[in-house]
Amino acid sequence: MDGRGRVRSVRVFGSVRGLRTVRAAWRQRRADAAGLPPRGAERARVPGLAEGAEPLPGGGTVRFARSSLRVCVSAGGTVFWGWDGAEPEPSYALAGPVPEPDPRAVLEPDTDGGWRVVSERVTVAVSRHGAVEIRTPGGVMLRRDLPPRWWEPVGGGPARWAQRAEVPADARFFGLGGRSAGPRLRDESYRLWNTDPKGRFDPGDDPLYITMPVQFVVADAGTHLAFHDNTWDGRVTLAEGEEGAGSGHDRPGTSEVRMEGGPLRCWVVVGTPARVLRNWAALTGAPALPPAWALGPQHARWGFGSAAEVRRVVAGYRERGLALSAVHLDIDHYDGHRVFTVDRERFPDLPGLAEELRGQGVRLVSIVDPAVAAEPGNVLYEEGRAAGAFVRDARGEEVRGVVWPGECAFPDFTDPAVREWWGGLYEERLRQGFSGVWHDMNEPVSFAAFGDPTLPRSARHHLEGRGGDHREGHNVYGLLMARAGYEGLRRLRPGERPFLFTRAGWAGMQRYGGTWSGDVATGWPGLRASLALVLGLGLCGVPYSGPDVGGFDGSPSPELFLRWYQLGAWLPLFRTHAALDAGRREPWEFGPEVLEHARVALAERERLQPYFVTLSRLARMTGAPYVRPVWWGTPEDRTLRECEDAFLLGDALLVAPVLHRGQDRRAVRLPRGRWYDTATGRAYEGPGQVLLDAPLARVPVLARAGAVLPVRGVDGELTLEVWPPAPGRTGGGLVVRDTGDGWEPAEIERFRSRLEDGRVVVERVTEEGPVEAGLPVRVRGREGAVAGGGAKRLGGVVGPPA
């Protein structure tokens, strides 16, 4: 056992707190035994045969012998369907009003006693037995949800249900939140229950901190996202299909969703990957925009120990000429691990430290856990108890668990009044000089000697006044804590964009911030899991994330740390972090060679900061993640669907990190078009595979021909970097300038690149027509040879010289 797992064992189970943990586990079992009566005998139910239909705007309701189905197609082509009267609201996933129905989409009789809704972008067909089929306008099947089945307790209570779906034989599954085994999800059963894996996780561990019933499915026929809007515990079992050989039949891919209760309702979004995530963001909310400094390198450690140690680390970065944007303080800066406190002996003047660091361009970020120490004299606990803010059991008694401070109570974030109270508490963090917060332990976690490390399932929640228990509230606990913190920070500092990221969450969590990998195990498998998590979360609508660089537990080898650092430099959240006894993560701790190579990666990250700012703005405007699968622009390319060890950063760059020990060359699968190796300038034609050098000094990065990227020039000013387009083709790029960390509107500037008489011409595209770029321009790739062809020399720039 390493890292946090070992520390937890010593602190929890080897002390008086350990006895409390055992007692808490027994209390949890007793509470569930009393508050959740046995289900007893159950009866199974299926919809039966269709008996009629009632047209409504965008679709209508189909009545079956033992159920009813509501189908509605929105004006943007998004499909909603719900059984047994399930409506789109109430929902914790939706960001605002339900999309308006498409007035042109009508419910009409279909063949064989079924019904259908035809719209411009999608056709929905309902069979007479209750199967729901999503088709392209041309009639090609994207998804077919078979008639569902319910199991209802004879004595009353929530019904369990199962929904099986078929997809094309060539389809590949992605998504389901943060899955370490991804990004492509193989034949497996995935649990929908946010879980702390108790200290560390590897690629085979499931579930983790963020689970979402969000499937992103890519097939030749098209791309779609399916979201079962249900917060209960459940499982999704996936099986990829197989195409028949010769005259053999195809075996479709299948997805079976089983939930322990709650409504059976689903949203389906179809289109290109970009359109799918644009409509998904319109449905669940635009991603929060991080302040520009949060796109820089950040450093964290569980165990800084004192203000002097923080100063030492920051001075180490400054003395070595390494950029640093933020330092994160873990639970050890609290007084007795109690949230919203400060250990005055080790941090005697935290506001002064924050002001000092901010003068050096470094912000402080604070950890915030939800568990409140339930002990006499804790003002926060007494205040919350008086306000009735904490989760209670079926008998009305306060639910207690054991976390770092000892025995704790848990705020009920499903109550709007509690969210407002909790959000106001962040004023203390702001007074201490913190510029951002990261939420931890909010699955929520209660240390358990045995069983599930969370609250009793019978614990009662407000649920916006509807009332219910932890079976329904568990998966949205972290989401609603993030909402409380984000909205509180907005009220307290209305002129600044909040910086918040959270370990647990659910669909729609991007509205309040981002996330990170959690306690990923130190090792090469953990490195590979880091990339899988970022890619998978991006396809679920969470664009801002990143791993604990170096792994959370254990001590990485110099090579492993460097390769992790190089990967992190190309991901949205670039943060080193380590457990209490896992060693340091400062780059100079791994020797002079690692330090110099890390310096190169860090310098490139800083040079590309304007590009990351642009990607963050585009993510908010369009829902597109910064980090994208290589098939993003060509999902019909089956070979690219299998590629899981490289990614696109925006539209312009293809990054191929080194994910295996001792690797100094690696194969890179290219999408179609021309790509330039940014280290050598050599051009390669895709689609296809190339073998590139990957020395310790760098990882392979390729630029798309014609790409125009905003970068920092030699003197720090905004510069356009352009890679020549292929002959007969044009290229371009988007630029969104940094307008500060407030709410100032930003303008998208469009640039176009083309070849003219052997020169690269860069123009800004306006409504009145193309004009000069208006920015310094630097042309790259001019000296490289095109693979398989003759040397190409491209010189000259229209516009100000670089």
Side-chain angles (χ1 to χ4, degrees):
M1 183 182 293
D2 295 308
R4 183 169 287 184
R6 178 164 63 247
V7 172
R8 179 182 298 178
S9 295
V10 173
R11 293 189 174 187
V12 175
F13 302 119
S15 65
V16 173
R17 194 176 301 161
L19 297 177
R20 292 176 178 170
T21 302
V22 174
R23 287 201 300 268
W26 281 114
R27 285 200 304 266
Q28 179 182 18
R29 290 197 170 189
R30 289 200 306 270
D32 284 346
L36 296 177
R39 293 185 63 88
E42 296 178 316
R43 63 167 64 92
R45 174 169 63 90
V46 294
L49 293 177
E51 297 181 339
E54 177 187 357
L56 294 169
T61 300
V62 181
R63 297 187 305 276
F64 294 85
R66 290 178 291 277
S67 188
S68 64
L69 173 68
R70 172 78 167 96
V71 178
C72 182
V73 179
S74 74
T78 299
V79 179
F80 171 82
W81 52 257
W83 286 93
D84 286 350
E87 295 290 339
E89 296 179 311
S91 169
Y92 281 117
L94 303 191
V98 177
E100 290 292 326
D102 183 350
R104 298 168 297 178
V106 296
L107 183 67
E108 59 188 27
D110 201 2
T111 59
D112 197 27
W115 299 81
R116 68 178 181 178
V117 181
V118 179
S119 71
E120 181 181 4
R121 299 190 184 279
V122 67
T123 295
V124 184
V126 181
S127 77
R128 63 189 180 117
H129 295 285
V132 180
E133 189 167 302
I134 308 296
R135 304 171 184 162
T136 68
V140 180
M141 189 270 286
L142 294 175
R143 182 183 191 90
R144 185 171 188 264
D145 287 275
L146 303 178
R149 182 181 294 270
W150 295 266
W151 290 268
E152 301 166 331
V154 174
R160 299 184 294 119
W161 56 260
Q163 174 81 68
R164 183 180 175 87
E166 295 178 346
V167 297
D170 65 285
R172 296 292 180 261
F173 296 99
F174 302 85
L176 295 183
R179 304 288 170 170
S180 62
R184 174 183 160 198
L185 301 177
R186 264 71 171 187
D187 298 1
E188 191 60 74
S189 180
Y190 301 90
R191 191 179 177 193
L192 299 169
W193 188 256
N194 292 353
T195 303
D196 174 14
K198 300 184 181 180
R200 54 175 286 173
F201 69 86
D202 280 305
D205 292 324
D206 187 86
L208 298 180
Y209 316 96
I210 300 173
T211 65
M212 298 183 195
V214 178
Q215 300 176 33
F216 200 102
V217 185
V218 184
D220 287 354
T223 302
H224 76 271
L225 179 151
F227 167 52
H228 288 83
D229 193 352
N230 184 310
T231 67
W232 284 61
D233 191 1
R235 284 192 176 273
V236 179
T237 302
L238 303 176
E240 293 181 348
E242 183 177 355
E243 293 182 297
S247 59
H249 294 290
D250 287 352
R251 176 173 60 81
T254 61
S255 162
E256 183 178 71
V257 180
R258 286 181 172 265
M259 305 298 291
E260 294 301 312
L264 174 46
R265 56 184 179 178
C266 184
W267 292 90
V268 180
V269 188
V270 303
T272 63
R275 180 180 292 277
V276 166
L277 283 184
R278 180 189 291 271
N279 287 344
W280 177 241
L283 187 68
T284 61
L289 187 65
W293 60 263
L295 297 171
Q298 306 177 48
H299 189 89
R301 192 202 308 160
W302 182 19
F304 270 120
S306 67
E309 177 66 4
V310 172
R311 288 189 174 95
R312 186 194 72 81
V313 170
V314 173
Y317 275 88
R318 186 174 64 253
E319 291 164 3
R320 293 167 176 83
L322 303 176
L324 182 65
S325 292
V327 169
H328 298 215
L329 300 188
D330 210 317
I331 56 174
D332 50 291
H333 87 279
Y334 284 140
D335 181 10
H337 295 153
R338 292 187 295 271
V339 68
F340 299 121
T341 65
V342 176
D343 186 327
R344 300 293 179 182
E345 291 187 6
R346 292 183 294 162
F347 293 88
D349 182 16
L350 193 51
L353 174 64
E355 183 177 4
E356 173 189 330
L357 296 183
R358 188 159 186 147
Q360 302 172 36
V362 179
R363 269 78 168 182
L364 279 184
V365 176
S366 171
I367 193 171
V368 175
D369 289 356
V372 176
E375 59 186 20
N378 184 354
V379 176
L380 178 60
Y381 171 68
E382 298 296 342
E383 181 181 322
R385 186 177 186 183
F390 299 120
V391 176
R392 297 183 176 275
D393 63 20
R395 297 170 295 179
E397 297 180 1
E398 203 172 84
V399 170
R400 298 284 182 87
V402 176
V403 197
W404 299 117
E407 193 166 71
C408 294
F410 298 83
D412 183 4
F413 296 116
T414 71
D415 185 339
V418 175
R419 291 198 295 269
E420 184 173 3
W421 166 70
W422 186 265
L425 299 175
Y426 288 75
E427 182 180 9
E428 182 273 342
R429 295 287 88 183
L430 297 178
R431 286 201 311 269
Q432 298 296 342
F434 288 107
S435 299
V437 294
W438 54 296
H439 288 173
D440 201 1
M441 308 294 286
N442 59 340
E443 288 71 33
V445 173
S446 173
F447 296 157
F450 44 83
D452 222 359
T454 185
L455 304 185
R457 290 169 176 257
S458 59
R460 304 297 297 174
H461 287 279
H462 185 269
L463 292 171
E464 319 305 317
R466 294 181 290 109
D469 58 43
H470 198 64
R471 294 174 297 176
E472 184 177 357
H474 173 85
N475 281 335
V476 294
Y477 193 88
L479 168 76
L480 297 175
M481 181 186 179
R483 177 178 177 178
Y486 182 85
E487 292 177 347
L489 290 169
R490 285 205 64 173
R491 292 193 302 270
L492 293 166
R493 292 275 177 88
E496 295 182 13
R497 299 198 302 271
F499 176 55
L500 183 151
F501 62 106
T502 175
R503 193 170 80 170
W506 201 65
M509 61 181 288
Q510 74 277 357
R511 300 191 294 265
Y512 313 118
T515 186
W516 87 106
S517 65
D519 300 343
V520 60
T522 297
W524 293 93
L527 171 60
R528 293 188 286 274
S530 297
L531 177 56
L533 285 162
V534 174
L535 283 167
L537 286 164
L539 294 176
C540 291
V542 185
Y544 183 85
S545 68
D548 283 345
V549 168
F552 181 74
D553 68 317
S555 299
S557 68
E559 181 192 5
L560 174 60
F561 175 80
L562 177 60
R563 292 310 195 185
W564 218 316
Y565 198 85
Q566 289 168 334
L567 169 63
W570 297 95
L571 300 180
L573 172 59
F574 180 22
R575 182 181 89 144
T576 57
H577 186 39
L580 187 61
D581 61 347
R584 302 183 185 278
R585 291 291 188 269
E586 295 85 64
W588 56 88
E589 297 289 344
F590 296 87
E593 184 181 17
V594 169
L595 173 60
E596 288 311 305
H597 297 334
R599 187 193 310 278
V600 172
L602 191 54
E604 185 66 2
R605 172 64 176 238
E606 286 294 286
R607 194 179 72 87
L608 287 171
Q609 200 264 357
Y611 186 51
F612 276 91
V613 168
T614 295
L615 293 178
S616 70
R617 290 282 186 173
L618 294 177
R620 180 163 180 81
M621 295 175 185
T622 69
Y626 312 33
V627 171
R628 308 165 187 178
V630 291
W631 47 257
W632 177 261
T634 53
E636 69 279 1
D637 188 328
R638 296 190 180 188
T639 304
L640 291 181
R641 285 185 220 155
E642 312 298 323
C643 179
E644 301 177 276
D645 61 355
F647 59 91
L648 298 174
L649 182 64
D651 284 331
L653 299 176
L654 191 160
V655 182
V658 173
L659 304 176
H660 298 275
R661 179 189 292 111
Q663 191 175 31
D664 60 4
R665 300 194 81 194
R666 62 150 297 174
V668 181
R669 178 67 60 178
L670 300 179
R672 67 188 176 206
R674 177 172 293 182
W675 295 86
Y676 291 93
D677 184 334
T678 59
T680 66
R682 187 178 185 186
Y684 299 89
E685 295 292 341
Q689 183 171 278
V690 296
L691 187 64
L692 299 179
D693 290 334
L696 278 176
R698 58 179 172 82
V699 297
V701 178
L702 297 106
R704 190 188 300 272
V708 179
L709 289 80
V711 300
R712 281 179 176 161
V714 176
D715 56 359
E717 69 178 333
L718 183 64
T719 299
L720 298 180
E721 183 171 275
V722 58
W723 296 83
R729 292 186 173 273
T730 61
L734 305 176
V735 177
V736 184
R737 306 194 192 203
D738 185 3
T739 59
D741 292 336
W743 301 97
E744 298 83 358
E747 177 188 357
I748 297 180
E749 298 179 67
R750 301 178 184 274
F751 293 88
R752 182 177 65 185
S753 65
R754 57 186 174 87
L755 292 178
E756 184 178 286
D757 299 328
R759 299 186 308 159
V760 178
V761 178
V762 179
E763 302 165 319
R764 187 161 66 92
V765 180
T766 70
E767 293 182 357
E768 291 75 28
V771 299
E772 286 192 358
L775 288 169
V777 176
R778 180 191 181 200
V779 177
R780 298 282 306 275
R782 287 178 290 179
E783 303 302 325
V786 178
K792 302 290 184 181
R793 298 186 60 84
L794 301 170
V797 175
V798 171

